[in-house]
Amino acid sequence: MWQTPSKPQSNHITERGKPMIEAVGLTKRYGRTVAVDDLSFTVQPGRVTGFLGPNGAGKSTTMRMILGLDRPTAGRVLIDGKPYAELDRPLQTVGALLDAKWVHPNRSARAHLRWLAKSNGLPNKRVDAVLEAVGLTQVAGKNAGGFSLGMSQRLGIAAALLGDPKVLLFDEPVNGLDPEGILWIRTFMQNLAAEGRTVLVSSHLLSEMALTASELIVIGRGKLITQSSTQEFIDGATGNSVLVRSPQLFKLGPLLVDKGFTVRDGADGALSVSGATSDQIGDIAAANGVVLHELSPQRGSLEEAFMQLTGDAVEYHAEIGK
Amino acid sequence: MTLLAVERIKLFSTRSPYWCSALALVLGVGLTAIIAASTDNGQLSLGVTQFGSSQLALSVVLVMAALAVTTEYRFSTIRATFLAVPNRTSALVAKTVVVAFIAGVLGEIIAFGSVGMAKLLSPASDLAINTSGEWRHVAGVGLLYGIGAIIAIAVGILVRQTAGAVAILLVWNMLLEGLIGIIPKAGVKIQAWLPFMNANHFLQLGGDNAAEQAGAGIDFKLSQWGSLGYFAGIAVALLVVALIVAKRRDA
Ligand SMILES: Nc1ncnc2c1ncn2[C@@H]1O[C@H](COP(=O)(O)OP(=O)(O)OP(=O)(O)O)[C@@H](O)[C@H]1O
Ligand SMILES: [Mg+2]
């Protein structure tokens, strides 16, 4: 069912360095909850930018503010230099998929796209074109309420592509999809970026973003944690823990703690030391006559790195082992 | 114009407006049929042909109009709408115009359909529409529906949930305004200024069955057309409030 995305039909290369999306001091409060807190970032064209943060970090809220659905408590966000509400025929500039369920269940996929097309002065043949692009032509006359999650998601993408926009926003587009669907969406987004478009995609999974995005905006509890290239983020955040195995850990452990390293119990009675290189640990062991059975640098998982970075910024701590 | 076409496509690409229209038609014309069938041939008057259209069927039309908005909130298509048309006021006004127009047309069909049904079942009765009062009594139903639809849409925008909006509209139209008459002395005076009472006043036809018609016994301070203007004024005021609220709050 999944089709390879169609070849580029148009090019939207914008001058490098000029951001297509620019948020400045964006803040959103719901009563006493601060959902987004003084968030500033930029999104450049021509690449997929990942918008990463744990559940409740404020990703969806930020996206709703970018699109003018929610009114910021403070700050502003501009698309191509303008607030969303000031875009003329906005679907021709911005395509968004925030939630695949924003469709009337008793309306056919084609009718859904037809009213959207009409509202932005797009011809009906665009409707057929996007249905074709996402592989929904066969079921275009069926009610959207009967669609599977994958089909709904593709209908949402069709709606986003309708106006051939240069900016695309996707909120957790792969949530709940099977591997085939995930791969299709990932490829689709990368192709869109390769055509020079600006693609902002949110996720709470770094592993997913590592495969999709070349640039990351990482947030936690509504605050910006970092904006950097995905490679930089991963390099900076992983690979600084060392697994130590020794019959004299009772002696070595306190020595490492004294040096200010973080020591945790690893698997099979080993120690996991972070903040130290294997050289440093080896030297300390030798200086104190500690026998080492294993000393191996661990490349921490991306998820671990992410947890570490957003540690105190995670909204909902998993209550494991309590 | 584009926005009107958009709202037209939206409305007619789901089933509920068809069902509601059919139900309103059946209830409105059906009640007239029952009245006609239970009245001796020759005794039926024009004044009783609009009981169904101006009461029961009106309620169904109010529900239809409210649904046009609340289902958009229910399924978040209102967000899709505001993404496509960030000017919320124009989007919602377009919807109001389309729904009110359809309600108006439906009102005319039901009103004249009721007269037709009465003529069919009671051919010997004098059901001719001659005077301006008689025309107002029948053709006025469409105006009532159109304005009623504006009120229903405003309530739908404000409440956003189907159950709440429908409950408010039905209780208001079918119960509350009538019940206020129970209040000793003041009740009838208040009723003279209630919107749906004024709507009924507009339709009133003098003559034999004036006492049986809705709004009878209330001392209205406005002329019949004045009452319609008042009803329309309240509808527009309510819509303006709803539009301001919709513009300000998060979608
Ligand atoms: N309409 C609302 N009213 C009140 N609180 C809200 C509203 N929308 C979001 N919030 C709160 O704002 C915070 C951020 O929510 P948001 O949905 O933006 O997070 P997210 O990063 O998209 O999370 P997820 O990964 O679960 O989708 C949460 O604490 C949430 O409860
Ligand atoms: Mg979210």
Side-chain angles (χ1 to χ4, degrees):
Chain A
M1 263 311 245
W2 298 101
Q3 298 186 351
T4 321
S6 54
K7 280 277 152 245
Q9 305 141 340
S10 58
N11 237 339
H12 289 291
I13 304 268
T14 315
E15 172 194 339
R16 265 270 147 119
K18 179 177 167 281
M20 281 305 293
I21 303 176
E22 186 178 18
V24 183
L26 208 53
T27 303
K28 180 70 187 180
R29 269 186 223 106
Y30 295 106
R32 287 170 55 218
T33 321
V34 184
V36 175
D37 193 357
D38 195 20
L39 191 60
S40 302
F41 60 85
T42 57
V43 186
Q44 303 286 344
R47 58 182 104 149
V48 176
T49 303
F51 191 32
L52 187 64
N55 291 131
K59 304 181 294 290
S60 302
T61 304
T62 303
M63 288 200 159
R64 286 197 304 272
M65 287 193 285
I66 295 175
L67 296 166
L69 291 175
D70 281 19
R71 182 190 289 264
T73 310
R76 64 193 163 87
V77 55
L78 302 179
I79 296 175
D80 204 5
K82 283 184 193 165
Y84 187 88
E86 281 171 25
L87 295 173
D88 183 35
R89 301 190 169 183
L91 300 188
Q92 297 191 25
T93 306
V94 185
L97 170 57
L98 290 204
D99 190 331
K101 287 185 217 75
W102 290 1
V103 180
H104 194 298
N106 292 332
R107 191 177 280 138
S108 73
R110 182 177 280 114
H112 175 67
L113 295 173
R114 271 197 56 209
W115 76 256
L116 280 173
K118 186 85 189 170
S119 69
N120 275 246
L122 300 161
N124 273 337
K125 66 175 197 292
R126 262 313 283 172
V127 171
D128 297 328
V130 293
L131 280 168
E132 187 71 42
V134 300
L136 284 180
T137 308
Q138 303 301 317
V139 292
K142 295 233 163 69
N143 285 349
F147 282 12
S148 69
L149 182 64
M151 289 159 83
S152 302
Q153 212 79 358
R154 278 185 285 163
L155 177 57
I157 290 178
L161 295 177
L162 205 53
D164 193 17
K166 55 185 170 182
V167 179
L168 287 130
L169 267 66
F170 299 102
D171 193 7
E172 313 237 11
V174 301
N175 246 8
L177 292 188
D178 57 18
E180 208 184 342
I182 292 175
L183 183 65
W184 182 82
I185 289 198
R186 197 184 285 153
T187 318
F188 210 123
M189 289 189 299
Q190 285 167 338
N191 286 0
L192 289 169
E195 290 165 28
R197 297 176 214 254
T198 307
V199 181
L200 180 66
V201 52
S202 82
S203 175
H204 59 272
L205 294 175
L206 178 56
S207 51
E208 171 58 31
M209 286 295 91
L211 293 168
T212 314
S214 56
E215 175 94 6
L216 284 182
I217 295 164
V218 186
I219 64 167
R221 280 202 183 174
K223 284 196 172 71
L224 183 74
I225 291 174
T226 180
Q227 171 163 16
S228 68
S229 80
T230 307
Q231 197 53 52
E232 250 176 85
F233 180 76
I234 292 170
D235 287 348
T238 61
N240 59 353
S241 95
V242 181
L243 192 76
V244 187
R245 210 180 290 281
S246 156
Q248 290 164 291
L249 282 180
F250 58 91
K251 195 172 165 192
L252 183 59
L255 287 169
L256 293 171
V257 173
D258 284 348
K259 293 275 178 194
F261 304 135
T262 309
V263 178
R264 280 174 297 147
D265 288 329
D268 301 329
L271 279 189
S272 165
V273 184
S274 40
T277 64
S278 46
D279 298 4
Q280 287 173 302
I281 298 171
D283 292 348
I284 293 169
N288 293 280
V290 173
V291 175
L292 289 179
H293 285 178
E294 184 183 350
L295 188 60
S296 53
Q298 304 288 302
R299 243 190 119 67
S301 78
L302 297 176
E303 255 51 59
E304 227 175 292
F306 182 44
M307 292 298 291
Q308 215 172 318
L309 257 166
T310 59
D312 50 313
V314 175
E315 175 91 323
Y316 309 105
H317 284 284
E319 304 268 314
I320 299 166
K322 286 210 173 157
Chain B
M1 279 324 275
T2 308
L3 292 183
L4 295 181
V6 168
E7 291 301 328
R8 196 198 66 230
I9 298 174
K10 275 206 248 177
L11 199 65
F12 288 119
S13 56
T14 62
R15 269 171 310 196
S16 87
Y18 296 100
W19 282 109
C20 288
S21 301
L23 185 64
L25 194 68
V26 168
L27 286 179
V29 180
L31 193 66
T32 309
I34 292 170
I35 293 171
S38 56
T39 309
D40 292 339
N41 192 0
Q43 298 301 306
L44 202 65
S45 67
L46 192 66
V48 297
T49 57
Q50 301 305 320
F51 280 171
S53 69
S54 63
Q55 307 296 320
L56 264 174
L58 172 65
S59 299
V60 178
V61 171
L62 294 179
V63 170
M64 174 182 82
L67 278 175
V69 190
T70 54
T71 51
E72 289 236 36
Y73 279 101
R74 163 91 171 71
F75 300 116
S76 288
T77 48
I78 195 76
R79 288 176 169 161
T81 301
F82 291 159
L83 284 185
V85 187
N87 185 338
R88 298 181 185 183
T89 305
S90 353
L92 292 171
V93 165
K95 180 186 288 296
T96 309
V97 169
V98 169
V99 174
F101 178 76
I102 290 163
V105 172
L106 187 61
E108 299 305 336
I109 294 172
I110 296 175
F112 285 96
S114 295
V115 175
M117 178 61 83
K119 276 186 180 160
L120 204 70
L121 295 178
S122 188
S125 301
D126 172 23
L127 294 166
I129 306 170
N130 298 317
T131 66
S132 64
E134 286 167 344
W135 275 107
R136 190 190 61 239
H137 186 65
V138 180
V141 171
L143 291 173
L144 213 68
Y145 281 22
I147 298 167
I150 298 175
I151 291 181
I153 286 184
V155 170
I157 294 172
L158 289 169
V159 179
R160 290 189 275 187
Q161 301 161 6
T162 302
V166 167
I168 289 172
L169 289 166
L170 293 188
V171 168
W172 176 5
N173 170 40
M174 299 179 91
L175 229 64
L176 196 66
E177 293 206 359
L179 280 180
I180 284 177
I182 301 173
I183 303 171
K185 283 186 188 154
V188 197
K189 283 184 187 150
I190 298 171
Q191 279 181 320
W193 294 103
L194 295 178
F196 285 98
M197 285 294 167
N198 275 279
N200 281 314
H201 178 228
F202 164 70
L203 285 189
Q204 265 177 21
L205 187 62
D208 325 338
N209 4 58
E212 292 170 27
Q213 290 171 26
I218 301 170
D219 180 20
F220 288 100
K221 301 287 182 238
L222 300 167
S223 69
Q224 289 188 279
W225 281 99
S227 278
L228 183 79
Y230 179 73
F231 183 50
I234 288 193
V236 171
L238 212 55
L239 183 67
V240 168
V241 171
L243 292 175
I244 292 171
V245 169
K247 190 174 173 170
R248 291 198 170 174
R249 75 183 163 204
D250 293 335

